[in-house]
């Protein structure tokens, strides 16, 4: 990512703002797409993120990096959109209710690691990887996207979502275990297909 | 510790294990348990693979389609930068 001057951004420097938009629009659009699963909604989140960044940059205190601050705005925008589309959803995902670990215990024990990598990353498989993310409860999904797709650290993810690092770690583990279950179903079937074909 | 308690304890440390942030001692404990417990070995291996696959897809450049970029710059009154 290019070095950006926060001072220039705060003083309303349009060149610097255009550089900021070019540097971060890709990751923010990807976050929104993975979070919402709809390109039009993702575009709305993308625009609102930068409109809000433009509006509030003077209040940026540097307690996190500029990138984390932008991700925070984008995550809030995406979660707000989900809430608006499904007002009956309170985002209190049921998967988090049980803190004794029972609800995320693995149930699938198929070893699909031996599948060839090009099959695991085929376009059909990639589409399944995306669908699996979309089936995660929102609160797990946003943690997984920030940490495992956008590469934020646990600390940065906790700053972006205003969560404790312990909560981030718990949600990340549950998201990963949930995805492992989903992928085990999908790749397990691919494995069966291969053994039938032999 | 009973076997199921060991399996549960392994599960709780699994993200740190996959991320390489677990202490050496706990890593060895996980590896020792996974060598004896086939279900846990599969969970460890497939969880590592799950994270690896998502990291692989995310390592590709995150591009914004040109028409989306155009509309974004216009919405921010930055259309004079669109030729870049």
């Amino acid at each position: 990512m290019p070095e950006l001057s926060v001072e220039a951004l705060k003083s309303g420097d349009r060149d610097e703002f255009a550089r900021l938009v070019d540097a971060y629009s890709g990751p923010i659009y990807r976050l929104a797409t993975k979070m919402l699963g709809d390109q039009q909604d993702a575009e709305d989140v993308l625009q609102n993120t930068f409109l809000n960044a433009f509006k509030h940059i003077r209040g940026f205190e540097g307690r996190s990096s500029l990138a984390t601050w932008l991700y925070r705005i984008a995550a809030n925008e995406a979660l707000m959109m989900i809430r608006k589309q499904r007002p009956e959803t309170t985002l209190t995902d049921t998967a988090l209710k049980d803190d004794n670990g029972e609800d995320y215990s693995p149930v699938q024990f198929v070893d699909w690691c031996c599948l060839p990598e090009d099959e695991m990353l085929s376009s059909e498989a990639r589409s399944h990887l995306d669908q699996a993310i979309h089936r995660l409860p929102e609160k797990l999904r946003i943690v997984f996207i920030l940490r495992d797709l956008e590469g934020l650290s646990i600390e940065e993810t906790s700053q972006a979502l205003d969560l404790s690092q312990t909560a981030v770690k718990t949600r990340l583990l549950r998201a990963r275990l949930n995805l492992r279950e989903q992928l085990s179903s999908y790749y397990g079937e691919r494995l069966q297909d291969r053994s039938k074909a032999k | 510790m009973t076997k199921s308690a060991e399996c549960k304890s392994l599960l709780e440390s699994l993200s740190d294990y996959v991320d390489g942030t677990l202490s050496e001692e706990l890593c060895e404990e996980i590896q020792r348990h996974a060598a004896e417990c086939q279900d846990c070995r599969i969970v460890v291996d497939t969880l590592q693979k799950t994270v690896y696959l998502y990291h692989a897809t995310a390592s590709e450049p995150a591009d914004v389609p040109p028409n989306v970029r155009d509309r974004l710059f216009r919405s921010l009154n930055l259309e004079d930068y669109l030729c870049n």
Side-chain angles (χ1 to χ4, degrees), chain A residues 53-106:
Chain A
F54 206 16
K55 199 167 148 190
H56 297 293
I57 187 67
R58 283 190 186 84
F60 174 67
E61 293 172 350
R63 282 181 292 187
S64 65
S65 69
L66 199 55
T68 303
W69 182 72
L70 281 174
Y71 278 124
R72 183 187 176 99
I73 298 172
N76 282 333
E77 285 293 330
L79 290 169
M80 270 198 307
M81 181 164 287
I82 290 169
R83 214 171 280 146
K84 209 160 61 183
Q85 288 170 345
R86 289 187 286 134
E88 73 281 8
T89 308
T90 57
L91 297 182
T92 51
D93 45 323
T94 50
L96 294 175
K97 276 185 183 167
D98 182 1
D99 277 333
N100 63 14
E102 294 304 317
D103 60 334
Y104 64 103
S105 297

Side-chain angles (χ1 to χ4, degrees), chain A residues 134-151:
Chain A
H134 206 66
R135 280 193 286 264
L136 287 173
E138 291 88 352
K139 286 189 174 181
L140 303 190
R141 196 187 314 157
I142 188 66
V143 169
F144 179 78
I145 291 170
L146 289 175
R147 176 77 182 101
D148 275 337
L149 300 188
E150 296 309 322

Side-chain angles (χ1 to χ4, degrees), chain A residues 14-15 43 117 129 176, chain B residues 19 52 54 71 77 81:
Chain A
R14 293 178 77 249
D15 287 356
E43 186 173 343
E117 188 158 324
L129 290 170
R176 286 171 166 180
Chain B
D19 289 338
Y52 166 79
Y54 280 107
R71 289 192 289 269
N77 295 322
Y81 292 86

Side-chain angles (χ1 to χ4, degrees), chain A residues 176-191:
Chain A
R176 286 171 166 180
L177 287 170
N178 181 313
L179 292 169
R180 191 204 74 87
E181 291 293 325
Q182 294 192 57
L183 297 198
S184 293
S185 302
Y186 176 74
Y187 290 124
E189 279 175 28
R190 303 287 81 75
L191 209 56

